[in-house]
Every structure is written in C-alpha cells, then in structure tokens.
Coordinates of all heavy atoms in Angstrom, one line a residue:
A1241 N 11.0 -5.8 -22.4 CA 11.8 -5.6 -21.2 C 11.6 -4.2 -20.6 O 11.5 -3.2 -21.3 CB 13.3 -5.9 -21.6
A1242 N 11.6 -4.2 -19.3 CA 11.4 -2.9 -18.6 C 12.7 -2.1 -18.7 O 13.8 -2.6 -18.7 CB 11.1 -3.2 -17.1
A1243 N 12.5 -0.8 -18.9 CA 13.6 0.2 -19.0 C 13.2 1.4 -18.2 O 12.1 1.7 -17.8 CB 13.8 0.6 -20.4
K1244 N 14.2 2.3 -17.9 CA 14.0 3.6 -17.2 C 12.8 4.3 -17.9 O 12.8 4.4 -19.1 CB 15.2 4.4 -17.2 CG 16.1 4.1 -16.0 CD 17.1 5.3 -15.8 CE 17.7 5.1 -14.4 NZ 19.1 4.5 -14.5
G1245 N 12.0 4.9 -17.1 CA 10.8 5.7 -17.6 C 9.6 4.9 -17.8 O 8.5 5.4 -17.9
D1246 N 9.7 3.5 -17.8 CA 8.6 2.6 -18.0 C 7.8 2.6 -16.7 O 8.4 2.6 -15.6 CB 8.9 1.2 -18.4 CG 9.5 1.2 -19.8 OD1 9.4 2.1 -20.6 OD2 10.1 0.1 -20.1
K1247 N 6.5 2.4 -16.8 CA 5.6 2.2 -15.6 C 5.6 0.7 -15.5 O 5.2 0.0 -16.4 CB 4.3 2.8 -15.8 CG 3.4 2.8 -14.6 CD 2.2 3.6 -14.7 CE 2.6 5.0 -14.5 NZ 1.4 5.9 -14.3
V1248 N 6.0 0.1 -14.3 CA 6.0 -1.3 -14.1 C 5.0 -1.6 -12.9 O 4.9 -0.8 -11.9 CB 7.3 -1.9 -13.9 CG1 8.2 -1.7 -15.0 CG2 8.0 -1.3 -12.6
T1249 N 4.5 -2.8 -12.9 CA 3.7 -3.3 -11.8 C 4.5 -4.5 -11.3 O 4.9 -5.4 -12.0 CB 2.3 -3.7 -12.2 OG1 1.7 -2.5 -12.7 CG2 1.5 -4.1 -11.0
V1250 N 4.7 -4.5 -10.0 CA 5.6 -5.5 -9.4 C 4.9 -6.1 -8.1 O 4.3 -5.3 -7.3 CB 7.0 -5.0 -9.1 CG1 7.0 -3.8 -8.1 CG2 8.0 -6.0 -8.7
E1251 N 5.1 -7.3 -7.8 CA 4.8 -8.0 -6.6 C 6.1 -8.3 -5.9 O 7.1 -8.6 -6.6 CB 4.0 -9.3 -6.8 CG 2.7 -9.0 -7.4 CD 1.9 -10.4 -7.6 OE1 2.5 -11.4 -7.7 OE2 0.7 -10.3 -7.7
Y1252 N 6.2 -8.2 -4.6 CA 7.5 -8.5 -3.9 C 7.2 -8.8 -2.5 O 6.2 -8.6 -1.9 CB 8.5 -7.3 -4.0 CG 8.0 -6.0 -3.3 CD1 8.2 -5.8 -2.0 CD2 7.4 -5.0 -4.1 CE1 7.8 -4.6 -1.4 CE2 6.9 -3.9 -3.5 CZ 7.1 -3.7 -2.2 OH 6.7 -2.5 -1.6
T1253 N 8.2 -9.6 -1.9 CA 8.3 -9.9 -0.6 C 9.6 -9.5 0.0 O 10.6 -9.7 -0.7 CB 8.1 -11.4 -0.3 OG1 6.9 -11.8 -0.8 CG2 8.1 -11.8 1.2
V1254 N 9.7 -8.9 1.1 CA 10.9 -8.4 1.7 C 11.1 -9.2 3.0 O 10.3 -9.2 3.9 CB 10.9 -6.9 2.1 CG1 12.3 -6.4 2.6 CG2 10.4 -6.0 0.9
R1255 N 12.4 -9.7 3.1 CA 12.8 -10.5 4.3 C 14.1 -9.9 4.9 O 14.8 -9.2 4.1 CB 13.0 -12.0 4.0 CG 11.8 -12.7 3.5 CD 12.2 -14.1 3.2 NE 11.1 -14.8 2.4 CZ 10.0 -15.3 2.9 NH1 9.8 -15.2 4.3 NH2 9.1 -15.9 2.2
I1256 N 14.3 -10.1 6.1 CA 15.6 -9.7 6.7 C 16.4 -11.0 6.9 O 15.9 -12.1 6.5 CB 15.4 -9.0 8.1 CG1 14.5 -9.7 9.0 CG2 14.7 -7.5 7.8 CD1 14.4 -9.1 10.4
G1257 N 17.6 -10.8 7.4 CA 18.6 -11.9 7.5 C 18.1 -13.2 8.1 O 18.5 -14.3 7.7
N1258 N 17.2 -13.1 9.1 CA 16.7 -14.3 9.8 C 15.5 -14.9 9.1 O 14.9 -15.9 9.6 CB 16.3 -14.0 11.2 CG 15.1 -13.0 11.4 OD1 14.5 -12.7 10.4 ND2 14.9 -12.6 12.6
G1259 N 15.2 -14.4 7.9 CA 14.1 -14.9 7.1 C 12.7 -14.4 7.4 O 11.8 -14.7 6.7
R1260 N 12.6 -13.5 8.4 CA 11.3 -13.0 8.8 C 10.8 -12.0 7.7 O 11.6 -11.1 7.2 CB 11.4 -12.2 10.1 CG 10.1 -11.6 10.6 CD 10.1 -11.1 12.0 NE 11.2 -10.1 12.2 CZ 10.9 -8.8 12.3 NH1 9.6 -8.4 12.1 NH2 11.9 -7.9 12.5
V1261 N 9.6 -12.1 7.3 CA 9.0 -11.2 6.3 C 8.7 -9.9 7.0 O 8.0 -9.9 8.0 CB 7.7 -11.8 5.7 CG1 7.0 -10.8 4.8 CG2 8.0 -13.1 4.9
V1262 N 9.2 -8.8 6.4 CA 9.0 -7.4 7.0 C 8.2 -6.5 6.1 O 8.1 -5.3 6.4 CB 10.4 -6.9 7.5 CG1 11.0 -7.6 8.6 CG2 11.3 -6.7 6.2
G1263 N 7.9 -7.0 4.9 CA 7.1 -6.1 4.0 C 6.8 -6.8 2.7 O 7.3 -8.0 2.5
G1264 N 6.0 -6.2 1.9 CA 5.7 -6.8 0.6 C 4.4 -6.3 0.2 O 3.7 -5.5 0.7
T1265 N 3.9 -6.9 -0.9 CA 2.7 -6.5 -1.6 C 1.5 -7.5 -1.4 O 0.4 -7.3 -1.9 CB 2.9 -6.4 -3.1 OG1 3.4 -7.6 -3.6 CG2 3.8 -5.2 -3.4
E1266 N 1.8 -8.5 -0.6 CA 0.8 -9.6 -0.4 C -0.6 -9.1 0.1 O -1.6 -9.4 -0.4 CB 1.3 -10.7 0.6 CG 0.3 -11.8 0.8 CD 0.9 -12.9 1.7 OE1 1.8 -13.7 1.2 OE2 0.5 -13.0 2.8
R1267 N -0.6 -8.2 1.1 CA -1.8 -7.6 1.6 C -2.5 -6.6 0.7 O -3.7 -6.7 0.5 CB -1.5 -7.0 3.0 CG -2.7 -6.6 3.8 CD -2.5 -5.9 5.0 NE -1.9 -4.6 4.7 CZ -1.5 -3.7 5.5 NH1 -1.6 -3.9 6.7 NH2 -1.1 -2.5 5.0
D1268 N -1.8 -5.7 0.2 CA -2.4 -4.6 -0.6 C -2.3 -4.8 -2.1 O -2.8 -3.9 -2.8 CB -1.7 -3.3 -0.2 CG -2.0 -2.9 1.3 OD1 -3.1 -3.2 1.8 OD2 -1.1 -2.2 1.8
G1269 N -1.7 -5.8 -2.6 CA -1.7 -6.1 -4.0 C -0.4 -5.5 -4.6 O 0.3 -4.8 -4.0
P1270 N -0.2 -5.7 -5.9 CA 1.0 -5.3 -6.6 C 1.1 -3.7 -6.6 O 0.2 -3.0 -6.4 CB 0.7 -5.7 -8.1 CG -0.3 -6.8 -8.0 CD -1.1 -6.5 -6.8
Q1271 N 2.4 -3.3 -6.6 CA 2.7 -1.9 -6.5 C 3.1 -1.4 -8.0 O 3.8 -2.1 -8.7 CB 3.9 -1.6 -5.6 CG 4.3 -0.2 -5.5 CD 5.5 0.1 -4.6 OE1 5.9 -0.9 -3.8 NE2 6.0 1.2 -4.6
T1272 N 2.6 -0.3 -8.4 CA 3.0 0.3 -9.7 C 3.9 1.5 -9.4 O 3.6 2.3 -8.6 CB 1.7 0.7 -10.4 OG1 0.9 -0.4 -10.6 CG2 2.1 1.3 -11.8
L1273 N 5.0 1.5 -10.2 CA 6.0 2.6 -10.1 C 6.6 2.8 -11.4 O 6.5 2.1 -12.4 CB 7.0 2.3 -9.0 CG 7.8 1.0 -9.2 CD1 9.2 1.3 -9.6 CD2 7.8 0.2 -7.9
T1274 N 7.2 4.0 -11.6 CA 7.9 4.4 -12.8 C 9.4 4.3 -12.5 O 9.9 4.8 -11.6 CB 7.6 5.8 -13.2 OG1 6.2 5.9 -13.4 CG2 8.3 6.2 -14.5
L1275 N 10.0 3.4 -13.3 CA 11.5 3.1 -13.1 C 12.3 4.4 -13.3 O 12.0 5.2 -14.3 CB 12.0 2.1 -14.1 CG 11.4 0.7 -13.8 CD1 11.9 -0.3 -14.8 CD2 11.7 0.2 -12.4
G1276 N 13.1 4.7 -12.4 CA 14.0 5.9 -12.5 C 13.5 7.1 -11.6 O 14.2 8.0 -11.5
E1277 N 12.3 6.9 -11.1 CA 11.7 8.0 -10.2 C 12.0 7.8 -8.7 O 11.6 8.7 -8.0 CB 10.2 8.2 -10.5 CG 9.9 8.8 -11.9 CD 8.4 9.1 -12.0 OE1 7.6 8.7 -11.2 OE2 8.1 9.8 -13.0
G1278 N 12.6 6.8 -8.4 CA 13.0 6.6 -6.9 C 11.8 6.1 -6.1 O 11.8 6.4 -4.9
G1279 N 10.9 5.5 -6.7 CA 9.7 5.0 -5.9 C 10.0 3.8 -5.0 O 9.3 3.4 -4.2
I1280 N 11.2 3.2 -5.2 CA 11.7 2.1 -4.4 C 13.2 2.1 -4.4 O 13.8 2.9 -5.1 CB 11.1 0.7 -5.0 CG1 11.1 -0.4 -4.0 CG2 11.8 0.4 -6.3 CD1 10.3 -1.6 -4.4
F1281 N 13.9 1.3 -3.6 CA 15.3 1.4 -3.5 C 16.0 1.2 -4.9 O 15.5 0.4 -5.7 CB 15.8 0.3 -2.6 CG 15.4 0.4 -1.2 CD1 14.4 -0.5 -0.7 CD2 15.9 1.4 -0.4 CE1 14.0 -0.4 0.7 CE2 15.4 1.5 1.0 CZ 14.5 0.7 1.5
D1282 N 17.1 1.9 -5.1 CA 17.7 1.9 -6.4 C 18.1 0.5 -6.8 O 18.0 0.2 -8.0 CB 19.1 2.7 -6.3 CG 18.8 4.2 -6.3 OD1 17.7 4.7 -6.6 OD2 19.8 5.0 -5.9
A1283 N 18.7 -0.3 -5.9 CA 19.1 -1.7 -6.3 C 17.9 -2.5 -6.8 O 18.0 -3.3 -7.7 CB 19.7 -2.4 -5.1

C-alpha cells in the first residue's frame, strides 16, 4: 500500500462538473510523484 514518502506512478483523468475532460495523463503517460511532497492536490 502507498504511504507518505513513497514514489508512486499514477494515471488519471480530470473532469469538471459538466463531464468535460480538462486534464489527465492520457496524452503524456503516467505521472510519477512522491506522496507528501505536494506534486498534486492534497485530496
């Protein structure tokens, strides 16, 4: 299980309320980040 300090690779799609896709990793591939470093929104 992923925990703070771990390096994770994630795929994601971001939509707004009307369902329109406004971002994600589909084009550039998965994103790698270290949990707890603020590389993406806290939630």
Side-chain angles (χ1 to χ4, degrees):
K1244 270 197 171 101
D1246 292 346
K1247 188 171 281 198
V1248 298
T1249 302
V1250 62
E1251 293 178 342
Y1252 61 87
T1253 301
V1254 185
R1255 298 179 191 283
I1256 56 176
N1258 65 7
R1260 181 170 61 97
V1261 174
V1262 294
T1265 57
E1266 184 176 283
R1267 188 184 70 181
D1268 295 328
Q1271 179 180 352
T1272 300
L1273 56 109
T1274 301
L1275 293 179
E1277 288 188 348
I1280 199 164
F1281 297 109
D1282 287 345

